[in-house]
Amino acid sequence: MKKFLVFFLLGLVVAVSGGDFNQQFDITWGGGRGKIVGNGQAMALTLDRTSGSGFRSKNQYLYGKIDMQLKLVPGNSAGTVTTYYLSSLGATHDEIDYEFLGNISGQPYTLHTNIYAQGKGNREQQFHLWFDPTKDYHTYSILWNPLSIIFSVDGIPIRQYKNLESKGIPYPKNQPMWIYGSLWDAEDWATRGGLVKTDWSQAPFTASFANFNAQACSGSCAINPSANSWFSQSLGTAGLAKLKWVQSNYMIYNYCTDYKRFPQGFPPECSIA
Ligand SMILES: *[C@@H]1O[C@H](CO)[C@@H](O)[C@H](O)[C@H]1NC(C)=O
């Protein structure tokens, strides 16, 4: 499973990386609560009353197709938040987020997504999942290329943010991002707006990450590499039909339909996309 290939194509750096968490990630916080396990095959993050834990990729990515498998905190996970996201640094940073908001036993997790472009987010969409995300590993993917950002769960697209720069809508395209993961306590807001608190008698809580795989550009991706289909991939008819299925059956919040929040009119991408 150890692979790290680098191709140099016309000044473009394309890296295919995956497998070993020791080679790809640094545990950045948590005082020993984050651990790489199974010879680098997986990462286990834990949370107790004192602290959560988190990691960051060694590499930065500027466009990519990034897959990660997650198995979320089982049982009563109310108040916990597991994150897996891409982000650059600074006040005008870009960010592509998956956040998993825990729940009491038997109640569905909320999958929260957001996109920041040039420091501005406020593009939340939330979903329930069509499976129990605590029983097994499931694959959460981000396809980020010059055309769009597509979030997929087990290969099923759940969200698309198109590049509408030509219409004046900001799009992440020139700030390299790191990949982050974390598990932390947010009992003041995560579950039913903070009504349900973390049950610390269940601690430590554990969320696991495995089978990281990235096909990505780490340098300039200005030249369209025809050899890399992910770079020019978009949702076809079948993909759009699946996206529609998820959005009509599993979407529980969409900023683009939140009239109370945007009484003066929705953000411009809402009427185009
Ligand atoms: C938890 O379960 C309740 C009840 O089914 C649901 O309304 C809510 O969206 C779930 N998720 C969170 C994060 O509260």
Side-chain angles (χ1 to χ4, degrees):
M1 276 291 287
K2 274 184 199 164
K3 52 188 159 125
F4 188 85
L5 309 170
V6 181
F7 303 101
F8 292 89
L9 296 172
L10 305 166
L12 162 81
V13 182
V14 179
V16 181
S17 52
D20 193 336
F21 275 78
N22 287 300
Q23 286 174 23
Q24 302 297 331
F25 297 99
D26 292 315
I27 295 169
T28 42
W29 62 282
R33 288 175 186 78
K35 283 193 179 72
I36 295 172
V37 295
N39 254 332
Q41 305 241 303
M43 171 86 76
L45 297 182
T46 61
L47 161 71
D48 59 31
R49 224 182 231 285
T50 309
S51 178
S53 49
F55 62 83
R56 188 176 89 165
S57 59
K58 293 184 196 283
N59 295 317
Q60 284 172 279
Y61 301 87
L62 180 57
Y63 295 134
K65 182 178 186 305
I66 294 157
D67 301 328
M68 182 77 89
Q69 293 197 330
L70 273 77
K71 191 156 83 173
L72 302 176
V73 174
N76 185 353
S77 59
T80 72
V81 176
T82 305
T83 71
Y84 155 52
Y85 62 102
L86 302 182
S87 186
S88 53
L89 299 175
T92 57
H93 75 289
D94 298 325
E95 194 175 315
I96 304 171
D97 295 333
Y98 278 108
E99 292 188 12
F100 301 86
L101 315 183
N103 217 334
I104 51 176
S105 300
Q107 302 294 315
Y109 261 78
T110 292
L111 168 50
H112 175 98
T113 64
N114 202 358
I115 292 165
Y116 285 70
Q118 292 152 31
K120 200 177 158 291
N122 298 326
R123 299 190 176 91
E124 298 87 355
Q125 287 186 355
Q126 295 184 335
F127 306 84
H128 281 159
L129 294 162
W130 50 94
F131 51 82
D132 179 349
T134 72
K135 284 250 159 23
D136 297 295
Y137 280 105
H138 289 271
T139 306
Y140 301 89
S141 309
I142 293 167
L143 172 65
W144 170 35
N145 66 25
L147 301 173
S148 57
I149 293 165
I150 298 168
F151 295 74
S152 304
V153 176
D154 290 335
I156 298 175
I158 63 163
R159 175 169 191 178
Q160 165 172 236
Y161 181 79
K162 286 190 195 161
N163 183 345
L164 298 169
E165 264 205 319
S166 61
K167 307 224 157 65
I169 295 160
Y171 189 78
K173 61 143 201 246
N174 47 29
Q175 306 187 71
M177 301 204 243
W178 282 274
I179 302 170
Y180 295 83
S182 66
L183 172 61
W184 50 286
D185 177 53
E187 65 177 357
D188 51 340
W189 62 266
T191 308
R192 313 191 82 174
L195 287 177
V196 186
K197 301 295 181 197
T198 305
D199 177 3
W200 291 111
S201 74
Q202 306 297 310
F205 300 100
T206 302
S208 304
F209 296 71
N211 285 317
F212 166 69
N213 188 65
Q215 302 170 61
C217 304
S218 40
S220 161
C221 265
I223 298 153
N224 188 343
S226 55
N228 290 282
S229 59
W230 64 266
F231 193 83
S232 49
Q233 197 181 324
S234 58
L235 288 178
T237 316
L240 280 170
K242 288 181 190 160
L243 179 78
K244 213 173 157 200
W245 172 76
V246 173
Q247 298 209 335
S248 39
N249 292 288
Y250 296 98
M251 186 186 263
I252 56 167
Y253 178 80
N254 183 0
Y255 74 111
C256 280
T257 57
D258 189 345
Y259 293 95
K260 276 194 207 132
R261 187 169 163 198
F262 300 104
Q264 320 290 359
F266 293 118
E269 68 269 18
C270 294
S271 47
I272 307 170

